Amino acid sequence: MVDESAGKPTALQVRRRKRTALIAILSALTLVVVAAVIAIVYIGSLATTFDTKTQKIPMAFPQESTRPSEPAPAAPDGKTPINILLVGTDSRGATIEQAEAGIPSDQRSDTMLLVHIPADRTSVYLISIMRDLWVPIPGHGSAKVNAALAFGGVPLMVQTVESLLGQRIDHVVFMDFSGFKDLTNAVGGVTVDVKIPFTAGQTSNYHFDAGPQTMNGDQALAYVRERYAFPDGDYQRVRDQQNFIKALVGKLASPQTVANPVTVANVVNELSPYLTVDSSLNAAAVAKLGFELRNVRASDIVSFTLPTSGIGWSTDGQSIVIFNAPATSALATALAKGSMPQYVKDNDLTNGN
């Protein structure tokens, strides 16, 4: 006779298997919970680092009655475009603290970039504003755009840029140039495709050959600051700054960087002390924007310079960059209508200008 019960597990074996499976499931859940707790603590630590090490601008924006209105949502999910005014400076001394507080000082912005992020978050536009651009400054007649910071602090600087482009500035970020150096070192160097070979005699004796070069912090700082080595001075310096920022973003957004918690922590820890931001740009806001831009790569960043009409002289004898009002008006229209891709195509700005 054949024993039909042969091969069938006993009741004890069934209980043991169930217990083993339950232990495995509970162990897996425990690992997930532990990993989640570690991630929360890690993210919380980074947020604390950013919020405590960055300095805040108590009065970043002008009176509401002087500002462009807030844009209506331009995306199905209710998102609106975001404009960030990024200002590069050489010092975090007393004069910059006065300027950040909205007090007139002798501080002038060295580099100005309008970072425009469309509502669909699929691209980023870096619009450099030449520091010697001769423009109307509300309440002060015409002067170089970087003088707005000296005349009326950060609020007047924001108001001046808003009046030029009809765009509402959502955030303001000051970055000490030393931050370029430490940030570059924190990510292990940045590879930049140098367009024009030169020797940075202004700040060092570093020589940059044409073609891809991996730069350390000191080299990066020399690269973004040099202007005397070029026939067109600030124009090429602005192009080099745009070139470096695109390369830096590419490195920051690479899987090798974002997947390495040590590198991410180093970036936040090293960069934060060199940043001064408006009070609404906290760690939560940065994290939210970073998540929304998670699919943007260096190839999705378009950089160009606010239209100008060359160089000239002011009536009081200053060397200036001449403001191109009609071309700037066309840019303002494209920003307002969300038609920047067409504007870039029409003006052949795919590779920067």
Side-chain angles (χ1 to χ4, degrees):
M1 294 181 61
V2 178
D3 185 359
E4 294 182 355
S5 65
K8 291 183 178 181
T10 65
L12 178 60
Q13 289 174 323
V14 170
R15 287 196 299 272
R16 285 177 176 173
R17 289 179 184 177
K18 287 183 178 179
R19 184 167 64 250
T20 301
L22 179 60
I23 291 172
I25 292 172
L26 290 176
S27 297
L29 288 174
T30 300
L31 288 175
V32 170
V33 171
V34 170
V37 170
I38 291 174
I40 290 171
V41 171
Y42 171 70
I43 293 171
S45 175
L46 291 183
T48 300
T49 298
F50 181 86
D51 285 337
T52 57
K53 287 193 173 185
T54 54
Q55 294 189 29
K56 302 299 185 289
I57 306 173
M59 297 173 58
F61 302 103
Q63 292 183 356
E64 187 62 34
S65 61
T66 69
R67 309 190 66 194
S69 58
E70 294 187 13
D77 56 6
K79 292 188 179 69
T80 60
I82 293 177
N83 292 303
I84 302 171
L85 186 60
L86 176 61
V87 184
T89 63
D90 282 320
S91 172
R92 293 280 300 262
T95 55
I96 187 63
E97 291 177 359
Q98 288 178 325
E100 289 161 357
I103 303 171
S105 69
D106 62 358
Q107 180 70 30
R108 295 192 178 214
S109 51
D110 192 72
T111 299
M112 296 178 68
L113 277 171
L114 178 68
V115 182
H116 177 73
I117 304 169
D120 61 12
R121 307 293 193 263
T122 60
S123 56
V124 175
Y125 298 90
L126 305 178
I127 306 170
S128 295
I129 303 173
M130 303 288 287
R131 64 177 187 173
D132 291 340
L133 188 66
W134 194 257
V135 299
I137 296 180
H140 294 271
S142 292
K144 294 180 180 181
V145 67
N146 71 342
L149 189 62
F151 291 158
V154 179
L156 183 59
M157 181 186 67
V158 170
Q159 186 181 0
T160 299
V161 176
E162 287 185 337
S163 64
L164 287 179
L165 291 169
Q167 287 287 297
R168 188 180 180 91
I169 304 299
D170 300 288
H171 296 294
V172 180
V173 178
F174 278 79
M175 181 176 181
D176 190 310
F177 271 126
S178 296
F180 274 100
K181 181 174 72 174
D182 289 350
L183 179 56
T184 301
N185 288 334
V187 297
V190 175
T191 300
V192 181
D193 187 7
V194 178
K195 304 301 182 183
I196 298 177
F198 68 94
T199 298
Q202 179 182 351
T203 56
S204 66
N205 288 317
Y206 287 120
H207 179 76
F208 300 94
D209 293 318
Q213 291 190 48
T214 300
M215 301 180 187
N216 62 27
D218 288 327
Q219 292 168 322
L221 186 58
Y223 178 77
V224 300
R225 294 184 66 184
E226 182 62 37
R227 61 172 173 149
Y228 293 125
F230 311 113
D232 57 356
D234 264 347
Y235 280 93
Q236 184 57 43
R237 178 169 74 158
V238 165
R239 288 190 286 267
D240 285 343
Q241 289 172 352
Q242 295 168 348
N243 196 29
F244 179 83
I245 290 174
K246 290 182 68 173
L248 176 61
V249 170
K251 184 66 177 285
L252 290 172
S254 68
Q256 293 85 352
T257 299
V258 297
N260 188 329
V262 174
T263 301
V264 173
N266 286 340
V267 168
V268 175
N269 187 62
E270 293 295 334
L271 181 60
S272 295
Y274 295 102
L275 294 180
T276 303
V277 301
D278 66 272
S279 57
S280 66
L281 191 60
N282 54 23
V286 171
K288 179 176 182 293
L289 183 58
F291 180 77
E292 293 175 352
L293 295 174
R294 63 191 180 279
N295 295 320
V296 171
R297 297 294 179 263
S299 58
D300 301 314
I301 300 173
V302 180
S303 59
F304 58 93
T305 302
L306 189 76
T308 71
S309 296
I311 59 176
W313 300 91
S314 65
T315 55
D316 59 356
Q318 298 182 61
S319 175
I320 62 173
V321 175
I322 302 172
F323 179 55
N324 188 329
T328 300
S329 178
L331 171 59
T333 299
L335 289 167
K337 292 185 175 181
S339 57
M340 285 300 293
Q342 188 62 47
Y343 175 85
V344 168
K345 180 179 178 181
D346 291 343
N347 291 275
D348 192 24
L349 298 175
T350 303
N351 296 315
N353 190 18

